[in-house]
Amino acid sequence: MMGSGIFLYMKLAIFLIFFAASSLFSCAVQKAEDRAGEDPGAMAEPTAVREPVLVELFTSEGCSSCPPGDRQLAFLEKQQPVGGAEVITLAFHVDYWNRMGWADKYSSAEFSERQNSYVERLRLTSSYTPQMVVDGQAEFVGSDAGRASDAIAKAAANPKPRVDFKLTRSGADVEIGNIPKHESATVYLAVAEDNIVTDVKSGENGGLKLPHISVVRKLNTIGQLSNTATSFKYSFELPSDPAWKKDQLKYIVFIQENGSGRVMAVGKINAVRG
């Protein structure tokens, strides 16, 4: 009887301990749920700040290797797949493919010359398409998604000064402050058009319909910065042309060092605000 009483006492003690622990756990869970209900954002992660990164693609409608590069550029622009980066894209159509059976109407010798400047800066043997350049510092084949993601992520790790860009009735105002230490540099304005489709009739892409995004229609110099400048402010008229679809236009302002080619600041605004 003595042993039986001790056994019953032990079972009762274990039950009471288990009951108390369960009650405490349930209470803690209920309090956590109550707190989440009172403040739905309490457990949400803060929105990450995206650092602007300029991605240039040198391409041509006459090059059979270029459509995959064009698709990669569109993916980067539309999907913004790299965490921490706001990818700003520009497609420069070069003119040296025009003699190969199809004249790309978006091409320009000026854009070919811009690519040549990267050949010199980055010590390459020659130009090629499709070529992607990230923030003026990294280059690779434009269809290489892995290289693109790596280069963009690396560029996004370096903060840039903010570009305040506003449309006005007569044009636009742009202001950039807190510009870090730099070489002499040029401030550019690019006008780019989205959602262009070309029915290619001949050449390497003959018979294909090629979609394009961020096609550079115009590249203007709007300022020069000395190596001691820490800010830039400018008001100007925006370039226009009847051939451009205004509802598909966007304006990109960027500062680029003249020697190294490093893009120090970049920002964009759409011609028509959504």
Side-chain angles (χ1 to χ4, degrees), residues 14 19 61 67 70 82 91 95 125 151 153 157-158 165-167 181 183 195 199 213-214 221 229 234 240 251 253:
I14 292 171
F19 178 78
E61 292 180 342
D70 294 334
V82 182
D95 71 338
T125 56
N158 300 309
F165 198 173
K166 298 178 182 177
L167 295 179
K181 185 177 180 180
E183 305 172 2
N195 299 319
D199 186 5
I213 197 169
S214 301
T221 296
Y234 193 63
S240 62
Y251 306 105
V253 169

Side-chain angles (χ1 to χ4, degrees), residues 185-205:
T186 300
V187 187
Y188 292 99
L189 167 68
V191 184
E193 186 175 337
D194 288 333
N195 299 319
I196 291 174
V197 179
T198 299
D199 186 5
V200 180
K201 302 295 186 181
S202 59
E204 291 189 359
N205 291 316

Side-chain angles (χ1 to χ4, degrees), residues 100 116 269:
M100 302 298 289
N116 286 335
I269 193 169

Side-chain angles (χ1 to χ4, degrees), residues 22-228:
S22 298
S23 298
L24 287 172
F25 177 75
S26 298
C27 184
V29 170
Q30 184 62 49
K31 286 182 178 179
E33 291 176 349
D34 290 344
R35 285 196 300 270
E38 291 170 2
D39 183 6
M43 295 184 179
E45 294 182 1
T47 302
V49 175
R50 288 181 175 263
E51 197 67 37
V53 175
L54 181 64
V55 176
E56 301 172 64
L57 179 71
F58 294 93
T59 186
S60 171
E61 292 180 342
C63 161
S64 61
S65 300
C66 286
D70 294 334
R71 289 193 292 270
Q72 177 62 23
L73 192 76
F75 174 76
L76 292 171
E77 172 75 27
K78 294 178 179 180
Q79 301 301 320
Q80 297 292 323
V82 182
E86 177 197 358
V87 182
I88 298 175
T89 61
L90 292 175
F92 290 96
H93 286 231
V94 298
D95 71 338
Y96 51 82
W97 277 94
N98 290 354
R99 61 182 181 273
M100 302 298 289
W102 177 256
D104 185 341
K105 70 177 183 179
Y106 305 109
S107 67
S108 167
E110 177 189 0
F111 302 158
S112 298
E113 185 56 37
R114 179 168 178 81
Q115 187 182 27
N116 286 335
S117 69
Y118 282 125
V119 171
E120 296 177 4
R121 286 168 175 155
L122 301 174
R123 299 180 181 180
L124 307 177
T125 56
S126 65
S127 300
Y128 67 91
T129 53
Q131 182 188 34
M132 198 167 277
V133 180
V134 175
D135 265 358
Q137 298 295 277
E139 69 84 27
F140 44 88
V141 175
S143 55
D144 192 331
R147 290 285 298 277
S149 294
D150 290 345
I152 292 168
K154 183 178 179 181
N158 300 309
K160 295 183 178 71
R162 177 183 171 85
V163 177
D164 288 316
F165 198 173
K166 298 178 182 177
L167 295 179
T168 65
R169 289 184 178 181
S170 59
D173 297 331
V174 64
E175 186 170 0
I176 307 169
N178 301 314
I179 299 174
K181 185 177 180 180
H182 59 88
E183 305 172 2
S184 61
T186 300
V187 187
Y188 292 99
L189 167 68
V191 184
E193 186 175 337
D194 288 333
N195 299 319
I196 291 174
V197 179
T198 299
D199 186 5
V200 180
K201 302 295 186 181
S202 59
E204 291 189 359
N205 291 316
L208 299 180
K209 289 185 180 293
L210 300 182
H212 304 306
I213 197 169
S214 301
V215 176
V216 178
R217 291 297 215 155
K218 191 77 173 177
L219 182 67
N220 287 346
T221 296
I222 60 172
Q224 297 288 341
L225 298 182
S226 69
N227 59 6
T228 59

